[in-house]
Amino acid sequence: MGEENLHVVENATCTFCGCVCDDQILTVDRDAKRITKVKNTCALGRAWFTEHAHEERPVALIDGKEASLEDAVETAAQILAEARYPITYGLSDTTCEAQRHAIAISDVIGGTIDTTTSVCHGPSGIAFEGVGESTCTLGEIKNRADLVIFWGGNPAESHPRLFARYAIMPKGMFTPNGRKDRTVVLVDVRKTKSAPVADIFLQVKPGRDFELLWALRALVRGGRISGDIEEITGIPLETLKDLAERMKNCRYGVLLFGMGLTMTRGRHFNSGALLALASDLNDFTHFVAKPVRGHGNVTGADNVVSWQTGFPFGVNFSRGYPRFNPGEFTTVDVLSRGEADAAMIVASDPASNFPGPAIEHLKKIPVIVLDPKETMTSRLAKVAFTTATYGISVPGTVYRMDDVPIPLRTAFDSPYPSDQEVLSAIEARVRDLRAAA
Amino acid sequence: MAETLRIINGRVYDPINGIDGEVRDICISGAKIVESVPKGGKTIDAQGMVVMPGGVDIHCHIAGPKVNLARKVQPEDHRYDVHPRTAFTRSGTGGTVPSSFTTGYRYTTLGYTTAMEAAVPPIGARHALEELRDTPVIDKGFYVLLGNNLLLYQLLSEGRHEEFLNAVAWWIKACKAYTLKIVNPGSDVPWKTKNNANITGVNEQIGDYELTPRKVVKALIDAANTLGLPHPAHIHCNNLGHSGNVATTLETMAAAEGERAHITHVQFHSFGGQLGKNPISAASKISEFVDANPNISCDVGQVMFGKSTVMTADAPLAYLLRNYTKDRRWVNADTECESGCGIVPFSYQEHVYTHTLQWGIGLELFLLAKDPWRMVLSTDHPNGGSFMSYPRLIRLLMDRTFRNEEIRKVNRKAMRKTVLLDDIEREYSLQEIAIVTRAGPARLLGLKDKGHLGVGADADITIYEEDDDKELMFSAPRYVIKDGRAIIENHEFRTDHEGRILHVAPAYDPDIEKTLRPFFDSYYSLQFDNYAVSDHYAPGAQVIPTGK
Amino acid sequence: MAETMTLIAGRTSKQGTTLNAGKLKDDYREVTSSGEMNQDDMARLGLKDGDLVRLSTGAGDTVIRCSGRKPEDLPAGLIFLPYGPPSSQLMTGDTALSGMPLSKNIEVQVEPLGAPEAEG
Amino acid sequence: MEAETLSPDRLEGLSAKAAAKLSVQYGNASAPLGDFFEVAETAHDEMRLSGDLSRVKLVGAGMSRGRIQIEGDIGQHLGATMTGGEIMVEGNAGDWVGPEMRGGRIEIRGDAGHAVGSAYRGSRVGMAGGEIMVHGRAGNEVGNSLRNGLIAIGGDCGDFAGVNLLAGTIIVLGALGIRAGAGMKRGTIVAMGPTEILPTFTYACRYRPDFLRLYLMRLRALGLTIDDAQIAGAYNRWSGDSVELNRGEILVYDGAA
């Protein structure tokens, strides 16, 4: 029956990972509200689009009981307006339009706003504030890069199209032969599914990325390094020297790095070492670095929070103006120390991936959740909203991992409101409540 | 029935309408200035006050990709300069690169009601517009970077002039830009392909293209004028910051061949001396040329001492400057097929020869200018200093005694390379200040409803309390009226206001897509059909007409 | 006879695709509680593919199913586990001023539990 | 809670009544000091704080003179950006003890958290004067971007001690964590315990540094446990960081001379 209503959406954007591929071609059955076919996609994108038949759930739950949208908004607003130390977290899987309202709410109620950046490339953000960054849009990698180094990441599984669409295979302006015009290096502690694409694979000892990067910096800058570098890092000095020379002599080099740096001992200093190495190399040739970002719009969250507050994540408004201090105002810390007395979680599931102490505290305080799906976090929520999914039923803007903003096209309508609609309703209500107070 | 407002007893400075300090009433109905309003409406008694059109900033960096990178990279710049929320307004942070809300509010507290972001790569237009929407009160727009655009280079070098013109129009319209911007034309080619090299002159060949910066500049100046953009090509010349670059600047101005062109932050391009040696001032040469060539207009790009942030599409410049600061931080961001940018936290110091010379050159350009309508005020915010230093700059122009005191405090050696030690008598009048901060920029931008207080003008009005200390006077207006609404009354915010996006939409031959699409498919990393910016990003925008 | 090893939590495409279906679905649980270990380590601990091990840190503990990888792919002393509730049980709340809990290269105690009980 | 109010500069000359009226920040609202503290008469520019203060931040922030005695634990940002005066803590201190301080003295009898005497994110210079003494252990980033002054840790400390060190001295009587002195330009890091040196540092010599004796004798006089062997003993000197100026040094105790 749906056959007559098969509908094709071209240039659709996949928001599953930071690649934000905007060349997806969706075949949509609008009666069944299903995407039946996806072209130009990867395993993750196919699952993202085709597994997205929405669930039959109430639009809102209060204490696990079905509630009207209005009552849920009212209850959420009351909780937030009365809280002394409310925190809003998530935001990396929703549109910039929604993010703007989430920040407005935190501003109005004197709360804290943080995004999944703090447990993704937050440390790279801190590193950026120490050494800056030489970087580029993904198209520059496609057009120019003749040396591509992946460090501490496994794109083959986390960002499947990074290779084919942007970094290794594509033919570009100065890379007419695609793969043939590039040397590809992979640095990781284990041979991942990404290893086969590399011309050179360096297996660094676990937790020794910093030492390896630091030694490379010294080599590039002509500083001395001690002879036992192989014992420390697992990489022979000769191999390191060879890599340093390749880096100095390439035409346009790029370092793409993942959470193998940000989630290991050293965290922001690991990212800082890599960013500094890329900057150093510009004394010899053109060299850029780029953190490979995870969620569809985590980069948008960084951007919106930055332009509205001046800081990229972990921002506290309790004194009536924005303050930034990772480790103090970041969510894992605020929850683990038991400081927050209310939480609003937008499009994220901390109850399934935060450390135990943080989850324990979440269970103790009133939690508001906006999510298209039922999650471990929505299960412990005082107020849970079912919202429409961005990029499938909600239009808007997302930022690719290289800060390029890309519009979203919708495949089919959702019976549920968007995050933006719910958040703007809550914003309006908390403004009234705070004004009255 | 629209709200009305009458401003009485104020001394009005409205250069465009030839009103120089006369006491007269200004009547406002709705968002416009009108002939008269019925008695009994709201009235502001401006007795002993100065009434001017709202300020217009023709060149600043307040929104878009590079601005946000500069915000992110300097948390310490915000930490000690916070901007608390009020009952009406959002909170934010200041420093040299304020958050978007704070930018809007702080311009308002200076009596500025319009500001133009001067450099946005086309691919970042959507981003710039999103930020401008979060920049309250003021009207705003941006200039789109087309001076290092590789498709335009291809069309131009192959002599495909019709397509070139249509592509320029398409890009401006697709981005919702206000005009086109040229930054260090040609530089991105050596920068990205030749070990970070730079272009060294207007006649140097650009890579393998049959092109020179001169050809690029001339072609884009012609394009802007042929399309009838309200503001002509906005040009950041080659060799910024290099000793002897005055020659390049004069050659670039000459390349306009009598056509309208705007040379921006010209102070940075007025260096005499020899390459590699200390610069000396060549302000007089620039000044003479501009006076003699009415097709050329400039903004000064004054340097003010203290913290600044170098942020520019001139990536090779930032790369050079990173070696002139103790700060470890340097940001470079290449933009595919279009542009790039560089960012370096910086500060200008009285004891440093070059910094002081730049400060002096800026003042010379102001004080030597015969026609202030074409040498208007800017600090290239935040490159030369924050827009928050405008009041101090105004005092330097208006107050000879203060100026001479300041001159005595700074690097003597540098001052000797300028004419400033000869105790220049000129003091800007309030009328001249009104010209360089409002009427002039508005006229150069082709904003017919701004920069004056005549009937039909936008009711964007600033009311200052007269004071001998001009810095004090211009840092805290008593009233600021935007679109007929009193935003600031008795120095305090009384309400919030959105302000409009200003952009142009030149016509082009739709067939140009046949030229653009294949290039995008080959060399861009996003889809052609997702590139152009939809109206969703500029609700309620005011489209300024183009064409003769 | 518990041993100290290094845990690496990371993304896999299976973890990613099952995540779309829903984090409360069995597939996702299955994927996020199935880890990889160096073959020789497993042999030494007397473990077969599919056997269970208990991982514990100061922060907490969890039980996962493990399968062997060749030494050249996964060096001795390493355990790989897709992100998910089990891996997060092993993280502490101290982020060392980074906002980021240590989630890779965590020192864990590994205790072999042998074959799982028949599910029922 | 944030209580920069608790500083001699703010309280001096105020009666207990007046002091109790001063406001502190509790979550997103301010409240009178008296709601949380019993204010007894304050001695002339000397304060005593007791009770559980482990959640009270910014005590002594910006202080320029006087003395604060804290009986028990204290929260984050103790003595932030202080320029003078003295803070004595009987218990443990949270993260950021004396960040970006310019002068004065802080002594912690117990342990301290991360970033003792450090720069806040984005700042080029951390502590630029004064003295911090921690009798117990300290966390990561001790003396991050230190430019001037002395930081002494009685026990072990975490990773990246003296990272980006510009100048000044860090003495650790226990063991250093890994990556000490990464990116250091100048300055001295001393460790009594065993420590792993970055590959970008080079061994210079084994010697008996005179300047160190003076420091150590002073620290011993101030109550840190230092034996004669350490004062008279020999130290291995490593110079680095070779990615920077290579003019910094790490001295590791190597037994009696």
Side-chain angles (χ1 to χ4, degrees), chain A residues 237-254:
Chain A
L237 181 59
E238 284 320 304
T239 315
L240 266 189
K241 284 182 172 165
D242 171 68
L243 180 58
E245 283 313 303
R246 286 173 184 276
M247 291 170 123
K248 285 158 73 174
N249 296 314
C250 70
R251 186 183 64 227
Y252 193 104
V254 53

Side-chain angles (χ1 to χ4, degrees), chain C residues 61-100:
Chain C
D61 65 277
T62 184
V63 173
I64 65 161
R65 199 182 296 267
C66 63
S67 60
R69 293 285 305 275
K70 292 198 232 62
E72 55 268 38
D73 297 346
L74 193 66
L78 285 195
I79 296 177
F80 177 80
L81 183 66
Y83 291 131
S87 64
S88 66
Q89 283 307 309
L90 303 166
M91 299 189 283
T92 71
D94 178 13
T95 72
L97 310 188
S98 69
M100 166 76 77

Side-chain angles (χ1 to χ4, degrees), chain A residues 11-13 22-23 96-97 100 103-104 106-110 128-140 142-144 165-166 171-174 250-252 279-280 282-288 302-304 306-312 317 319-322 324 396-397 399-400 402-407 409 427 431 434, chain B residues 65 68-76 78-79 82-85 87-93 97-101 123-128 130-131 133-134 150 188-189 191-193 195-196 209 319 322-323 327-339 519-532 536-537:
Chain A
N11 305 302
T13 299
D22 66 331
D23 60 341
C96 294
E97 289 77 358
R100 289 156 79 170
I103 301 162
S106 296
D107 190 359
V108 170
I109 64 177
F128 176 67
E129 295 163 349
V131 300
E133 178 181 52
S134 172
T135 190
C136 68
T137 61
L138 293 175
E140 291 285 39
K142 161 180 162 175
N143 285 328
R144 302 175 183 276
R165 182 166 158 84
Y166 305 109
K171 298 178 161 62
M173 199 175 287
F174 300 95
C250 70
R251 186 183 64 227
Y252 193 104
S279 296
D280 294 346
N282 282 279
D283 290 338
F284 306 91
T285 183
H286 205 84
F287 220 100
V288 297
D302 286 10
N303 274 293
V304 182
S306 292
W307 83 57
Q308 291 206 350
T309 72
F311 308 113
F317 290 97
R319 290 208 149 176
Y321 50 81
F324 166 78
T397 314
Y399 283 61
R400 205 168 58 186
D402 57 352
D403 293 312
V404 171
I406 294 174
R409 299 164 190 267
E427 180 191 342
R431 280 183 184 277
R434 293 295 291 202
Chain B
N68 222 24
L69 284 169
R71 282 191 190 102
K72 268 189 269 187
V73 82
Q74 301 180 93
E76 82 289 355
H78 308 311
R79 186 176 295 115
V82 297
H83 192 91
R85 124 183 122 252
F88 310 105
T89 59
R90 290 283 300 274
S91 74
T93 52
V97 193
S99 61
S100 61
F101 297 114
I123 209 172
R126 203 173 263 115
H127 178 168
E130 281 201 287
E131 278 195 34
R133 279 182 70 190
D134 278 345
L150 296 183
D188 279 1
V189 172
W191 168 245
K192 293 175 182 177
T193 59
N195 304 345
N196 301 344
Y209 297 94
Y319 175 71
R322 73 184 181 147
N323 301 320
D327 203 299
R328 293 167 189 260
R329 292 169 294 186
W330 166 60
V331 178
N332 175 71
D334 302 334
T335 309
E336 61 205 64
C337 311
E338 294 178 351
S339 181
F519 186 88
F520 271 74
D521 292 347
S522 309
Y523 302 126
Y524 271 85
S525 61
L526 74 166
Q527 299 296 95
F528 179 72
D529 294 297
N530 287 333
Y531 186 88
H536 164 78
Y537 293 93

